[in-house]
PDB file of all heavy atoms in Angstrom:
ATOM      1  N   HIS A 292       5.046  25.658  66.865  1.00 98.00           N
ATOM      2  CA  HIS A 292       6.232  25.604  66.008  1.00 98.00           C
ATOM      3  C   HIS A 292       7.338  26.435  66.643  1.00 98.00           C
ATOM      4  O   HIS A 292       7.192  26.882  67.792  1.00 98.00           O
ATOM      5  CB  HIS A 292       5.870  26.086  64.594  1.00 98.00           C
ATOM      6  CG  HIS A 292       5.071  27.337  64.604  1.00 98.00           C
ATOM      7  ND1 HIS A 292       5.639  28.567  64.802  1.00 98.00           N
ATOM      8  CD2 HIS A 292       3.728  27.539  64.517  1.00 98.00           C
ATOM      9  CE1 HIS A 292       4.691  29.483  64.812  1.00 98.00           C
ATOM     10  NE2 HIS A 292       3.513  28.887  64.634  1.00 98.00           N
ATOM     11  N   SER A 293       8.391  26.676  65.883  1.00 98.00           N
ATOM     12  CA  SER A 293       9.565  27.327  66.487  1.00 98.00           C
ATOM     13  C   SER A 293       9.302  28.779  66.891  1.00 98.00           C
ATOM     14  O   SER A 293      10.052  29.340  67.678  1.00 98.00           O
ATOM     15  CB  SER A 293      10.758  27.255  65.531  1.00 98.00           C
ATOM     16  OG  SER A 293      10.525  28.074  64.413  1.00 98.00           O
ATOM     17  N   GLN A 294       8.240  29.381  66.363  1.00 98.00           N
ATOM     18  CA  GLN A 294       7.951  30.784  66.698  1.00 98.00           C
ATOM     19  C   GLN A 294       6.858  30.917  67.761  1.00 98.00           C
ATOM     20  O   GLN A 294       6.405  32.027  68.062  1.00 98.00           O
ATOM     21  CB  GLN A 294       7.513  31.550  65.423  1.00 98.00           C
ATOM     22  CG  GLN A 294       8.471  31.419  64.253  1.00 98.00           C
ATOM     23  CD  GLN A 294       9.894  31.819  64.619  1.00 98.00           C
ATOM     24  OE1 GLN A 294      10.110  32.910  65.139  1.00 98.00           O
ATOM     25  NE2 GLN A 294      10.852  30.938  64.379  1.00 98.00           N
ATOM     26  N   THR A 295       6.416  29.786  68.293  1.00 98.00           N
ATOM     27  CA  THR A 295       5.340  29.825  69.300  1.00 98.00           C
ATOM     28  C   THR A 295       5.865  30.412  70.612  1.00 98.00           C
ATOM     29  O   THR A 295       6.923  30.002  71.091  1.00 98.00           O
ATOM     30  CB  THR A 295       4.806  28.385  69.542  1.00 98.00           C
ATOM     31  OG1 THR A 295       4.268  27.899  68.311  1.00 98.00           O
ATOM     32  CG2 THR A 295       3.726  28.350  70.613  1.00 98.00           C
ATOM     33  N   ALA A 296       5.105  31.347  71.170  1.00 98.00           N
ATOM     34  CA  ALA A 296       5.493  31.918  72.467  1.00 98.00           C
ATOM     35  C   ALA A 296       4.901  31.073  73.596  1.00 98.00           C
ATOM     36  O   ALA A 296       3.854  30.460  73.429  1.00 98.00           O
ATOM     37  CB  ALA A 296       4.979  33.351  72.558  1.00 98.00           C
ATOM     38  N   ASN A 297       5.572  31.045  74.707  1.00 97.00           N
ATOM     39  CA  ASN A 297       5.102  30.317  75.908  1.00 97.00           C
ATOM     40  C   ASN A 297       4.728  28.864  75.613  1.00 97.00           C
ATOM     41  O   ASN A 297       3.654  28.397  76.008  1.00 97.00           O
ATOM     42  CB  ASN A 297       3.896  31.023  76.531  1.00 97.00           C
ATOM     43  CG  ASN A 297       4.237  32.434  76.955  1.00 97.00           C
ATOM     44  OD1 ASN A 297       5.375  32.691  77.370  1.00 97.00           O
ATOM     45  ND2 ASN A 297       3.294  33.353  76.824  1.00 97.00           N
ATOM     46  N   LEU A 298       5.592  28.197  74.893  1.00 98.00           N
ATOM     47  CA  LEU A 298       5.308  26.813  74.485  1.00 98.00           C
ATOM     48  C   LEU A 298       4.939  25.892  75.666  1.00 98.00           C
ATOM     49  O   LEU A 298       3.920  25.192  75.599  1.00 98.00           O
ATOM     50  CB  LEU A 298       6.524  26.276  73.712  1.00 98.00           C
ATOM     51  CG  LEU A 298       6.312  24.972  72.984  1.00 98.00           C
ATOM     52  CD1 LEU A 298       5.656  25.208  71.649  1.00 98.00           C
ATOM     53  CD2 LEU A 298       7.626  24.259  72.796  1.00 98.00           C
ATOM     54  N   PRO A 299       5.719  25.888  76.758  1.00 98.00           N
ATOM     55  CA  PRO A 299       5.384  24.962  77.853  1.00 98.00           C
ATOM     56  C   PRO A 299       3.987  25.207  78.415  1.00 98.00           C
ATOM     57  O   PRO A 299       3.296  24.253  78.791  1.00 98.00           O
ATOM     58  CB  PRO A 299       6.461  25.242  78.916  1.00 98.00           C
ATOM     59  CG  PRO A 299       7.600  25.841  78.153  1.00 98.00           C
ATOM     60  CD  PRO A 299       6.964  26.632  77.041  1.00 98.00           C
ATOM     61  N   ALA A 300       3.544  26.477  78.420  1.00 98.00           N
ATOM     62  CA  ALA A 300       2.201  26.768  78.947  1.00 98.00           C
ATOM     63  C   ALA A 300       1.139  26.116  78.061  1.00 98.00           C
ATOM     64  O   ALA A 300       0.079  25.707  78.544  1.00 98.00           O
ATOM     65  CB  ALA A 300       1.984  28.275  79.006  1.00 98.00           C
ATOM     66  N   ILE A 301       1.417  26.005  76.764  1.00 98.00           N
ATOM     67  CA  ILE A 301       0.459  25.375  75.837  1.00 98.00           C
ATOM     68  C   ILE A 301       0.538  23.848  75.942  1.00 98.00           C
ATOM     69  O   ILE A 301      -0.484  23.173  76.037  1.00 98.00           O
ATOM     70  CB  ILE A 301       0.722  25.837  74.383  1.00 98.00           C
ATOM     71  CG1 ILE A 301       0.538  27.355  74.291  1.00 98.00           C
ATOM     72  CG2 ILE A 301      -0.209  25.116  73.399  1.00 98.00           C
ATOM     73  CD1 ILE A 301       0.992  27.961  72.985  1.00 98.00           C
ATOM     74  N   THR A 302       1.753  23.319  75.961  1.00 98.00           N
ATOM     75  CA  THR A 302       1.876  21.843  76.004  1.00 98.00           C
ATOM     76  C   THR A 302       1.289  21.300  77.305  1.00 98.00           C
ATOM     77  O   THR A 302       0.757  20.190  77.320  1.00 98.00           O
ATOM     78  CB  THR A 302       3.339  21.387  75.849  1.00 98.00           C
ATOM     79  OG1 THR A 302       4.128  21.986  76.891  1.00 98.00           O
ATOM     80  CG2 THR A 302       3.908  21.770  74.501  1.00 98.00           C
ATOM     81  N   ARG A 303       1.370  22.097  78.373  1.00 98.00           N
ATOM     82  CA  ARG A 303       0.826  21.644  79.671  1.00 98.00           C
ATOM     83  C   ARG A 303      -0.703  21.524  79.648  1.00 98.00           C
ATOM     84  O   ARG A 303      -1.293  20.914  80.519  1.00 98.00           O
ATOM     85  CB  ARG A 303       1.237  22.609  80.793  1.00 98.00           C
ATOM     86  CG  ARG A 303       2.593  22.272  81.422  1.00 98.00           C
ATOM     87  CD  ARG A 303       2.756  22.936  82.781  1.00 98.00           C
ATOM     88  NE  ARG A 303       2.765  24.384  82.687  1.00 98.00           N
ATOM     89  CZ  ARG A 303       3.855  25.135  82.467  1.00 98.00           C
ATOM     90  NH1 ARG A 303       5.030  24.544  82.322  1.00 98.00           N
ATOM     91  NH2 ARG A 303       3.780  26.442  82.396  1.00 98.00           N
ATOM     92  N   GLN A 304      -1.334  22.118  78.615  1.00 98.00           N
ATOM     93  CA  GLN A 304      -2.804  22.008  78.496  1.00 98.00           C
ATOM     94  C   GLN A 304      -3.211  20.783  77.680  1.00 98.00           C
ATOM     95  O   GLN A 304      -4.402  20.516  77.523  1.00 98.00           O
ATOM     96  CB  GLN A 304      -3.367  23.232  77.787  1.00 98.00           C
ATOM     97  CG  GLN A 304      -3.232  24.530  78.543  1.00 98.00           C
ATOM     98  CD  GLN A 304      -3.608  25.707  77.647  1.00 98.00           C
ATOM     99  OE1 GLN A 304      -4.422  25.584  76.747  1.00 98.00           O
ATOM    100  NE2 GLN A 304      -2.989  26.842  77.907  1.00 98.00           N
ATOM    101  N   ALA A 305      -2.233  20.072  77.143  1.00 99.00           N
ATOM    102  CA  ALA A 305      -2.564  18.991  76.206  1.00 99.00           C
ATOM    103  C   ALA A 305      -3.070  17.741  76.917  1.00 99.00           C
ATOM    104  O   ALA A 305      -2.416  17.240  77.835  1.00 99.00           O
ATOM    105  CB  ALA A 305      -1.323  18.632  75.374  1.00 99.00           C
ATOM    106  N   ASP A 306      -4.236  17.256  76.446  1.00 99.00           N
ATOM    107  CA  ASP A 306      -4.674  15.923  76.867  1.00 99.00           C
ATOM    108  C   ASP A 306      -3.905  14.894  76.053  1.00 99.00           C
ATOM    109  O   ASP A 306      -3.591  13.807  76.530  1.00 99.00           O
ATOM    110  CB  ASP A 306      -6.179  15.749  76.600  1.00 99.00           C
ATOM    111  CG  ASP A 306      -7.016  16.773  77.357  1.00 99.00           C
ATOM    112  OD1 ASP A 306      -6.775  16.944  78.569  1.00 99.00           O
ATOM    113  OD2 ASP A 306      -7.870  17.431  76.725  1.00 99.00           O
ATOM    114  N   VAL A 307      -3.638  15.260  74.785  1.00 99.00           N
ATOM    115  CA  VAL A 307      -2.846  14.409  73.903  1.00 99.00           C
ATOM    116  C   VAL A 307      -1.764  15.283  73.283  1.00 99.00           C
ATOM    117  O   VAL A 307      -2.076  16.307  72.652  1.00 99.00           O
ATOM    118  CB  VAL A 307      -3.726  13.777  72.788  1.00 99.00           C
ATOM    119  CG1 VAL A 307      -2.885  12.923  71.842  1.00 99.00           C
ATOM    120  CG2 VAL A 307      -4.851  12.950  73.396  1.00 99.00           C
ATOM    121  N   LEU A 308      -0.515  14.922  73.497  1.00 99.00           N
ATOM    122  CA  LEU A 308       0.604  15.723  73.004  1.00 99.00           C
ATOM    123  C   LEU A 308       1.352  14.923  71.933  1.00 99.00           C
ATOM    124  O   LEU A 308       1.774  13.794  72.187  1.00 99.00           O
ATOM    125  CB  LEU A 308       1.544  16.049  74.177  1.00 99.00           C
ATOM    126  CG  LEU A 308       2.773  16.900  73.874  1.00 99.00           C
ATOM    127  CD1 LEU A 308       2.387  18.277  73.341  1.00 99.00           C
ATOM    128  CD2 LEU A 308       3.630  17.066  75.145  1.00 99.00           C
ATOM    129  N   ILE A 309       1.448  15.512  70.743  1.00 99.00           N
ATOM    130  CA  ILE A 309       2.136  14.834  69.631  1.00 99.00           C
ATOM    131  C   ILE A 309       3.389  15.647  69.315  1.00 99.00           C
ATOM    132  O   ILE A 309       3.292  16.797  68.869  1.00 99.00           O
ATOM    133  CB  ILE A 309       1.212  14.719  68.400  1.00 99.00           C
ATOM    134  CG1 ILE A 309      -0.064  13.938  68.770  1.00 99.00           C
ATOM    135  CG2 ILE A 309       1.952  14.050  67.230  1.00 99.00           C
ATOM    136  CD1 ILE A 309      -1.126  13.889  67.685  1.00 99.00           C
ATOM    137  N   ALA A 310       4.559  15.087  69.563  1.00 99.00           N
ATOM    138  CA  ALA A 310       5.805  15.833  69.392  1.00 99.00           C
ATOM    139  C   ALA A 310       6.506  15.401  68.110  1.00 99.00           C
ATOM    140  O   ALA A 310       6.883  14.241  67.957  1.00 99.00           O
ATOM    141  CB  ALA A 310       6.721  15.601  70.594  1.00 99.00           C
ATOM    142  N   ALA A 311       6.643  16.336  67.171  1.00 98.00           N
ATOM    143  CA  ALA A 311       7.284  16.043  65.870  1.00 98.00           C
ATOM    144  C   ALA A 311       8.139  17.244  65.470  1.00 98.00           C
ATOM    145  O   ALA A 311       7.806  17.972  64.537  1.00 98.00           O
ATOM    146  CB  ALA A 311       6.221  15.749  64.811  1.00 98.00           C
ATOM    147  N   ILE A 312       9.239  17.439  66.206  1.00 98.00           N
ATOM    148  CA  ILE A 312      10.083  18.611  65.922  1.00 98.00           C
ATOM    149  C   ILE A 312      11.523  18.257  65.560  1.00 98.00           C
ATOM    150  O   ILE A 312      12.233  19.065  64.993  1.00 98.00           O
ATOM    151  CB  ILE A 312      10.073  19.638  67.084  1.00 98.00           C
ATOM    152  CG1 ILE A 312      10.496  19.000  68.401  1.00 98.00           C
ATOM    153  CG2 ILE A 312       8.720  20.283  67.227  1.00 98.00           C
ATOM    154  CD1 ILE A 312      10.643  20.006  69.537  1.00 98.00           C
ATOM    155  N   GLY A 313      11.949  17.041  65.895  1.00 98.00           N
ATOM    156  CA  GLY A 313      13.336  16.669  65.581  1.00 98.00           C
ATOM    157  C   GLY A 313      14.356  17.309  66.507  1.00 98.00           C
ATOM    158  O   GLY A 313      15.439  17.694  66.070  1.00 98.00           O
ATOM    159  N   ARG A 314      13.990  17.453  67.781  1.00 98.00           N
ATOM    160  CA  ARG A 314      14.927  17.974  68.800  1.00 98.00           C
ATOM    161  C   ARG A 314      14.983  16.948  69.937  1.00 98.00           C
ATOM    162  O   ARG A 314      13.966  16.746  70.622  1.00 98.00           O
ATOM    163  CB  ARG A 314      14.438  19.305  69.389  1.00 98.00           C
ATOM    164  CG  ARG A 314      14.269  20.413  68.384  1.00 98.00           C
ATOM    165  CD  ARG A 314      15.567  21.208  68.219  1.00 98.00           C
ATOM    166  NE  ARG A 314      15.390  22.292  67.284  1.00 98.00           N
ATOM    167  CZ  ARG A 314      15.543  22.190  65.956  1.00 98.00           C
ATOM    168  NH1 ARG A 314      15.857  21.034  65.414  1.00 98.00           N
ATOM    169  NH2 ARG A 314      15.372  23.245  65.180  1.00 98.00           N
ATOM    170  N   ALA A 315      16.155  16.347  70.131  1.00 98.00           N
ATOM    171  CA  ALA A 315      16.277  15.250  71.102  1.00 98.00           C
ATOM    172  C   ALA A 315      15.812  15.670  72.501  1.00 98.00           C
ATOM    173  O   ALA A 315      16.276  16.671  73.038  1.00 98.00           O
ATOM    174  CB  ALA A 315      17.724  14.780  71.154  1.00 98.00           C
ATOM    175  N   GLU A 316      14.900  14.908  73.042  1.00 98.00           N
ATOM    176  CA  GLU A 316      14.422  15.043  74.430  1.00 98.00           C
ATOM    177  C   GLU A 316      14.027  16.482  74.798  1.00 98.00           C
ATOM    178  O   GLU A 316      14.266  16.933  75.909  1.00 98.00           O
ATOM    179  CB  GLU A 316      15.480  14.468  75.383  1.00 98.00           C
ATOM    180  CG  GLU A 316      15.685  12.995  75.065  1.00 98.00           C
ATOM    181  CD  GLU A 316      16.767  12.295  75.884  1.00 98.00           C
ATOM    182  OE1 GLU A 316      17.363  12.943  76.759  1.00 98.00           O
ATOM    183  OE2 GLU A 316      16.991  11.111  75.627  1.00 98.00           O
ATOM    184  N   PHE A 317      13.419  17.163  73.851  1.00 98.00           N
ATOM    185  CA  PHE A 317      12.996  18.556  74.015  1.00 98.00           C
ATOM    186  C   PHE A 317      11.847  18.681  75.027  1.00 98.00           C
ATOM    187  O   PHE A 317      11.798  19.616  75.823  1.00 98.00           O
ATOM    188  CB  PHE A 317      12.560  19.081  72.641  1.00 98.00           C
ATOM    189  CG  PHE A 317      12.051  20.491  72.628  1.00 98.00           C
ATOM    190  CD1 PHE A 317      12.922  21.549  72.416  1.00 98.00           C
ATOM    191  CD2 PHE A 317      10.699  20.768  72.804  1.00 98.00           C
ATOM    192  CE1 PHE A 317      12.453  22.865  72.386  1.00 98.00           C
ATOM    193  CE2 PHE A 317      10.222  22.075  72.781  1.00 98.00           C
ATOM    194  CZ  PHE A 317      11.110  23.123  72.571  1.00 98.00           C
ATOM    195  N   VAL A 318      10.917  17.723  74.970  1.00 98.00           N
ATOM    196  CA  VAL A 318       9.745  17.786  75.849  1.00 98.00           C
ATOM    197  C   VAL A 318      10.108  17.195  77.206  1.00 98.00           C
ATOM    198  O   VAL A 318      10.369  15.996  77.324  1.00 98.00           O
ATOM    199  CB  VAL A 318       8.542  17.025  75.230  1.00 98.00           C
ATOM    200  CG1 VAL A 318       7.353  17.019  76.184  1.00 98.00           C
ATOM    201  CG2 VAL A 318       8.147  17.635  73.893  1.00 98.00           C
ATOM    202  N   THR A 319      10.121  18.060  78.216  1.00 98.00           N
ATOM    203  CA  THR A 319      10.512  17.613  79.555  1.00 98.00           C
ATOM    204  C   THR A 319       9.278  17.524  80.460  1.00 98.00           C
ATOM    205  O   THR A 319       8.189  17.998  80.098  1.00 98.00           O
ATOM    206  CB  THR A 319      11.547  18.599  80.140  1.00 98.00           C
ATOM    207  OG1 THR A 319      11.074  19.933  79.896  1.00 98.00           O
ATOM    208  CG2 THR A 319      12.911  18.431  79.482  1.00 98.00           C
ATOM    209  N   ALA A 320       9.465  16.941  81.635  1.00 98.00           N
ATOM    210  CA  ALA A 320       8.328  16.645  82.527  1.00 98.00           C
ATOM    211  C   ALA A 320       7.507  17.892  82.864  1.00 98.00           C
ATOM    212  O   ALA A 320       6.276  17.818  82.958  1.00 98.00           O
ATOM    213  CB  ALA A 320       8.848  15.983  83.796  1.00 98.00           C
ATOM    214  N   ASP A 321       8.164  19.030  83.003  1.00 98.00           N
ATOM    215  CA  ASP A 321       7.443  20.256  83.364  1.00 98.00           C
ATOM    216  C   ASP A 321       6.548  20.763  82.233  1.00 98.00           C
ATOM    217  O   ASP A 321       5.772  21.705  82.424  1.00 98.00           O
ATOM    218  CB  ASP A 321       8.443  21.357  83.765  1.00 98.00           C
ATOM    219  CG  ASP A 321       9.433  21.639  82.640  1.00 98.00           C
ATOM    220  OD1 ASP A 321       9.959  20.677  82.056  1.00 98.00           O
ATOM    221  OD2 ASP A 321       9.654  22.821  82.322  1.00 98.00           O
ATOM    222  N   MET A 322       6.645  20.154  81.037  1.00 98.00           N
ATOM    223  CA  MET A 322       5.832  20.590  79.893  1.00 98.00           C
ATOM    224  C   MET A 322       4.612  19.690  79.683  1.00 98.00           C
ATOM    225  O   MET A 322       3.860  19.880  78.725  1.00 98.00           O
ATOM    226  CB  MET A 322       6.688  20.577  78.609  1.00 98.00           C
ATOM    227  CG  MET A 322       7.836  21.575  78.639  1.00 98.00           C
ATOM    228  SD  MET A 322       9.009  21.291  77.313  1.00 98.00           S
ATOM    229  CE  MET A 322       8.095  21.860  75.900  1.00 98.00           C
ATOM    230  N   VAL A 323       4.448  18.704  80.558  1.00 98.00           N
ATOM    231  CA  VAL A 323       3.403  17.696  80.312  1.00 98.00           C
ATOM    232  C   VAL A 323       2.411  17.659  81.469  1.00 98.00           C
ATOM    233  O   VAL A 323       2.800  17.669  82.644  1.00 98.00           O
ATOM    234  CB  VAL A 323       4.055  16.297  80.130  1.00 98.00           C
ATOM    235  CG1 VAL A 323       3.007  15.222  79.930  1.00 98.00           C
ATOM    236  CG2 VAL A 323       5.036  16.325  78.959  1.00 98.00           C
TER     237      VAL A 323
END
Side-chain angles (χ1 to χ4, degrees):
H292 46 79
S293 69
Q294 307 306 307
T295 298
N297 300 327
L298 192 83
I301 299 170
T302 58
R303 273 198 296 273
Q304 294 170 29
D306 300 312
V307 178
L308 181 61
I309 301 174
I312 56 174
R314 300 271 182 273
E316 299 177 2
F317 178 90
V318 177
T319 46
D321 58 315
M322 296 167 73
V323 178

